[in-house]
Amino acid sequence: MNGAARIVVDRLVKRFGDFTALDGVSFEVAPGEIMGFLGPNGAGKSTLIRILCGLLHPSQGRAQVAGIDVAKDPEAVRTRIGYMSQKFSLYNDLSVVENLRFFGGIYGVGRERIDARVTEAVSMAGLSGREDTLVANLAGGWKQRLALGAAILHRPPVLFLDEPTSGVDPESRRRFWDLIHTLGGEGISVLVSTHYMDEAEYCHRIALISGGRLAALGTPRDIKRLGKEAGAEAAEPTMEDAFVALVGQAQGGRAAA
Amino acid sequence: MKLRRIKAIAVKESLQIVRDPRSLMIALLVPLMQMFVFGYGVSLDIRHLPLCLLDHENSQQSRDLLARFSASSYFSVQSVARSEREIAHELDHGFCQLAVVVPADFSQRLVDAGVTSVQALLDGTDSNSASIAAGYARSVVSGFSADVQLESLQRRGGTVQTQTPVDVEARVWFNEELESRNFIVPGIVALVMAIVGAQLTSLTIAREWERGTMELLVSTPVQPMELMIGKLLPYFAVGMVDASICLGLAVFWFQVPFRGTVATLLFTSALFLSVVLCIGYLVSTAIRSQVGASQVALLLTMLPTVLLSGFAFPIDQMPAVVRGATYLVSGRYYVLILKSIFLKGAGVSELAVPILFLALYAAAIVFLAARAFRKTLE
Ligand SMILES: Nc1ncnc2c1ncn2[C@@H]1O[C@H](COP(=O)(O)OP(=O)(O)OP(=O)(O)O)[C@@H](O)[C@H]1O
Ligand SMILES: [Mg+2]
């Protein structure tokens, strides 16, 4: 598995001064796999994604993306990933196409390919006919799809999406997840964090993070089963029930320890 | 380093500049305004200084002298006093800035000793204008004394014709104006360019941090050097327009004689502009808030340029330690270069040393600025 995994996270620790934001997290993500990060506010989801993007240096442990150690060669990692940060980070004062051309140029997409890639990204985001609209004037759902389009202009094998659908209407969220699955189908590994329980169901596997630790890891069905074992009362616990039970158990366990 | 990335950044940055016409207007109007404010505020070239005269002797010669003051465009006679008391009153109330008092034995001493003097009383509240006014008064008096000397020599015989005093000629030529406006305005050009140049770029990185676009940018393969060059290029263009405005005002409005070539001027100005743009960029990489970055950039450029570039305070009169510090101020080289180009018509070869220093300075600061930007969130 190790050889084939696109992302390898091995006993990863991240400290900010005295505060430990990540406390020995380990998991792997296979090619084409869609891995969901689920966890309460401050669990460490963004911190983990930032380490994997080479934006933060791990305090301890090891992380590999596309076969490259992120601490040793973050620059090599950067050519192989696409990233959507939690805060929208395209340029509001640039148009749709200007943004895409900019990121295409930055990611080093060749001149001969850039036009086709930009057109593709525009139609993928459903923005055909709005190529020259300033991004500031787009609604949330369009913005997020455009950001996704920008993140895959260079066809990276690994995609990090940090709460890409927060604050977006349900219809747009559904469309967004269709896109994620299309990308997974093309063999791209996607690591996506979310607050929405229903979205967790769309993932191949879920990593439930709480207080900087991995509280549970598995398919949505595994998670629900683990939730039941952790004390979720319903006969058929929902993702939400499982989440509450597992986070409670993780926090209780830590308090007891 | 990839040209493609540099171009992508330069295009993006240019679009952002154009999309923000208000900032662009400010970038072009501020240097214009500063040139006028500093040009007139600091310009030591004073015309029509209010003058008060007091003639205790009232002889042909004293009247001759005072007539020269009245005729000089440096002064405009406000009043003719009859007593020292009146003079004091005029000065105290700021009705005049300079009073010239001719003593009662003015021409008598000239006859007896061949030397005589007049008294100049100055309002010293503005010590700069005071010393300039004194300089003007001296030049008026020396013009007068040259004529007196010439006259008396001629009266004594024909041989003098050949030795018409060269030094007298020189003293007449010695123009206080050179000490003031012509020397000061090139310095002001340097000052305004330093301030505006660093301001232009001081926001460029901080803005991306504030808007949250930087997190994505640092996750891309862009290299610090590419980012810097791409971001500086469009501001370089804006800065050259600013430089042209400042230099144009110096020549056409402030009428500083321009004896050099435009090519030398543009080349050296481009070099200096690169330095100040990089200083702004360097500040921007260190300070993530726009307000903070702009204030630090202002402080870092304005203070050293005013104090240590030698345009307002002569470098050779500074204590050794301070004089040593002036070598670290890029404005010092540019002020020297500008003065030499404007007033002496110096070309690149005569300016090789300061140009070299400025180029080294530019290289060092480019290096620092490129290194200062770290592609991490920590
Ligand atoms: N640069 C930093 N310095 C100090 N503490 C930090 C820093 N970045 C994050 N933290 C802390 O680390 C913890 C994890 O933060 P992180 O942003 O990873 O959480 P998250 O799971 O993404 O939360 P959210 O769902 O709110 O986005 C939080 O307690 C946060 O305050
Ligand atoms: Mg987060």
Side-chain angles (χ1 to χ4, degrees):
Chain A
M1 171 100 186
N2 205 326
R6 278 274 173 70
I7 302 173
V8 179
V9 175
D10 185 15
R11 284 162 292 175
L12 202 63
V13 175
K14 178 65 189 177
R15 292 187 204 93
F16 296 109
D18 295 340
F19 177 73
T20 306
L22 285 179
D23 193 5
V25 176
S26 306
F27 63 88
E28 293 186 356
V29 181
E33 187 175 22
I34 297 166
M35 167 77 99
F37 268 17
L38 210 58
N41 284 324
K45 305 181 293 292
S46 298
T47 304
L48 181 48
I49 290 177
R50 284 170 170 165
I51 291 176
L52 294 175
C53 293
L55 299 176
L56 292 174
H57 201 84
S59 309
Q60 242 174 280
R62 196 171 56 96
Q64 266 186 7
V65 172
I68 298 156
D69 190 308
V70 294
K72 288 191 186 126
D73 195 358
E75 278 311 311
V77 169
R78 288 187 181 118
T79 61
R80 291 164 174 82
I81 60 163
Y83 175 43
M84 258 180 85
S85 61
Q86 187 164 353
K87 185 167 186 293
F88 180 72
S89 48
L90 299 189
Y91 296 92
N92 276 317
D93 46 356
L94 261 54
S95 74
V96 168
V97 163
E98 285 161 357
N99 265 289
L100 291 172
R101 290 195 159 276
F102 170 68
F103 283 101
I106 289 292
Y107 284 125
V109 177
R111 267 172 234 287
E112 63 289 350
R113 268 184 303 236
I114 185 75
D115 285 334
R117 294 271 173 93
V118 166
T119 312
E120 235 175 287
V122 166
S123 71
M124 185 195 94
L127 284 165
S128 303
R130 297 179 192 236
E131 287 85 350
D132 299 322
T133 308
L134 286 190
V135 165
N137 301 330
L138 292 178
W142 310 95
K143 279 190 180 181
Q144 300 302 76
R145 287 198 298 272
L146 179 63
L148 181 64
I152 58 164
L153 280 168
H154 54 308
R155 299 296 181 261
V158 182
L159 200 51
F160 296 105
L161 311 175
D162 196 355
E163 299 200 23
T165 54
S166 65
V168 170
D169 64 275
E171 166 60 17
S172 296
R173 275 169 51 200
R174 211 189 42 71
R175 280 187 69 177
F176 197 93
W177 274 92
D178 285 345
L179 291 177
I180 293 179
H181 274 274
T182 309
L183 295 172
E186 290 167 11
I188 298 181
S189 301
V190 185
L191 209 163
V192 50
S193 74
T194 180
H195 267 140
Y196 298 107
M197 298 301 153
D198 59 326
E199 290 187 347
E201 305 268 9
Y202 304 144
C203 301
H204 295 138
R205 281 197 301 154
I206 296 162
L208 209 157
I209 302 180
S210 168
R213 288 188 198 201
L214 206 57
L217 178 69
T219 62
R221 200 188 299 161
D222 291 340
I223 295 292
K224 285 182 204 160
R225 183 175 45 79
L226 289 168
K228 192 156 178 63
E229 286 166 18
E233 277 159 23
E236 286 287 319
T238 61
M239 186 58 76
E240 175 110 41
D241 298 333
F243 176 84
V244 171
L246 287 166
V247 167
Q249 186 189 47
Q251 284 168 353
R254 202 166 317 129
Chain B
M1 220 165 41
K2 275 198 179 162
L3 216 59
R4 175 114 172 76
R5 286 205 205 109
I6 295 177
K7 201 186 141 204
I9 296 162
V11 168
K12 170 227 144 199
E13 208 71 28
S14 308
L15 285 170
Q16 289 187 306
I17 292 174
V18 177
R19 297 271 154 83
D20 187 4
R22 216 174 61 96
S23 302
L24 188 58
M25 280 300 279
I26 292 175
L28 297 176
L29 286 179
V30 162
L32 196 81
M33 247 171 50
Q34 286 183 338
M35 277 304 287
F36 282 111
V37 170
F38 293 138
Y40 284 110
V42 183
S43 173
L44 306 178
D45 182 48
I46 300 146
R47 300 211 166 254
H48 307 295
L49 262 174
L51 174 73
C52 177
L53 298 175
L54 173 57
D55 189 351
H56 282 304
E57 187 183 64
N58 204 9
S59 67
Q60 183 55 47
Q61 266 176 326
S62 71
R63 279 198 301 272
D64 264 4
L65 174 65
L66 295 185
R68 280 171 189 263
F69 275 97
S70 315
S72 161
S73 66
Y74 296 140
F75 301 106
S76 85
V77 178
Q78 290 301 301
S79 57
V80 178
R82 272 154 306 174
S83 70
E84 311 275 349
R85 277 261 293 285
E86 271 183 48
I87 293 263
H89 178 265
E90 296 280 302
L91 278 172
D92 284 350
H93 291 80
F95 297 139
C96 68
Q97 228 167 357
L98 174 74
V100 173
V101 182
V102 181
D105 57 353
F106 177 70
S107 39
Q108 193 55 47
R109 273 172 60 194
L110 197 60
V111 173
D112 294 350
V115 206
T116 188
S117 63
V118 291
Q119 191 183 15
L121 299 166
L122 290 146
D123 175 358
T125 30
D126 178 354
S127 64
N128 254 339
S129 339
S131 65
I132 294 304
Y136 289 160
R138 221 173 290 127
S139 79
V140 170
V141 172
S142 68
F144 172 79
S145 71
D147 285 352
V148 170
Q149 233 171 320
L150 206 61
E151 237 173 76
S152 70
L153 283 171
Q154 278 166 346
R155 236 182 284 125
R156 272 187 257 153
T159 54
V160 293
Q161 228 65 331
T162 51
Q163 52 162 167
T164 304
V166 175
D167 80 310
V168 168
E169 192 70 12
R171 285 166 78 188
V172 174
W173 266 106
F174 181 71
N175 181 3
E176 290 290 335
E177 196 181 29
L178 284 182
E179 280 294 1
S180 54
R181 189 164 68 188
N182 293 350
F183 268 56
I184 279 286
V185 170
I188 290 170
V189 171
L191 175 64
V192 173
M193 271 178 64
I195 294 175
V196 172
Q199 284 299 306
L200 281 177
T201 47
S202 68
L203 305 177
T204 175
I205 297 284
R207 192 188 300 128
E208 303 234 18
W209 282 117
E210 278 188 6
R211 294 188 186 168
T213 50
M214 190 51 97
E215 176 155 352
L216 183 52
L217 203 51
V218 292
S219 81
T220 71
V222 70
Q223 294 306 299
M225 191 59 118
E226 296 162 348
L227 186 66
M228 183 175 84
I229 297 175
K231 274 180 169 286
L232 292 192
L233 279 177
Y235 289 109
F236 184 81
V238 177
M240 280 311 279
V241 174
D242 285 336
S244 310
I245 291 175
C246 295
L247 294 165
L249 283 178
V251 176
F252 297 110
W253 184 270
F254 291 103
Q255 311 245 313
V256 179
F258 181 70
R259 305 201 170 98
T261 66
V262 175
T264 320
L265 190 65
L266 288 182
F267 168 66
T268 51
S269 299
L271 208 53
F272 181 64
L273 183 65
S274 311
V275 171
V276 291
L277 289 177
C278 282
I279 292 179
Y281 186 83
L282 194 61
V283 170
S284 195
T285 60
I287 297 171
R288 290 187 182 180
S289 91
Q290 293 192 64
V291 178
S294 128
Q295 282 174 353
V296 170
L298 183 66
L299 219 70
L300 273 183
T301 46
M302 192 163 91
L303 280 187
T305 311
V306 167
L307 299 176
L308 300 175
S309 74
F311 100 82
F313 307 104
I315 292 174
D316 50 17
Q317 285 169 30
M318 294 173 182
V321 180
V322 181
R323 209 179 320 136
T326 64
Y327 287 97
L328 296 175
V329 179
S330 56
R332 176 204 162 117
Y333 308 107
Y334 187 52
V335 168
L336 178 69
I337 289 170
L338 278 186
K339 280 184 188 172
S340 310
I341 294 176
F342 267 92
L343 304 174
K344 292 191 216 146
V348 173
S349 53
E350 292 106 304
L351 293 171
V353 174
I355 286 178
L356 189 72
F357 268 93
L358 207 52
L360 282 177
Y361 203 108
I365 203 121
V366 163
F367 178 76
L368 280 179
R371 273 182 58 109
F373 183 71
R374 301 239 149 259
K375 286 182 68 186
T376 152
L377 302 176
E378 285 171 292

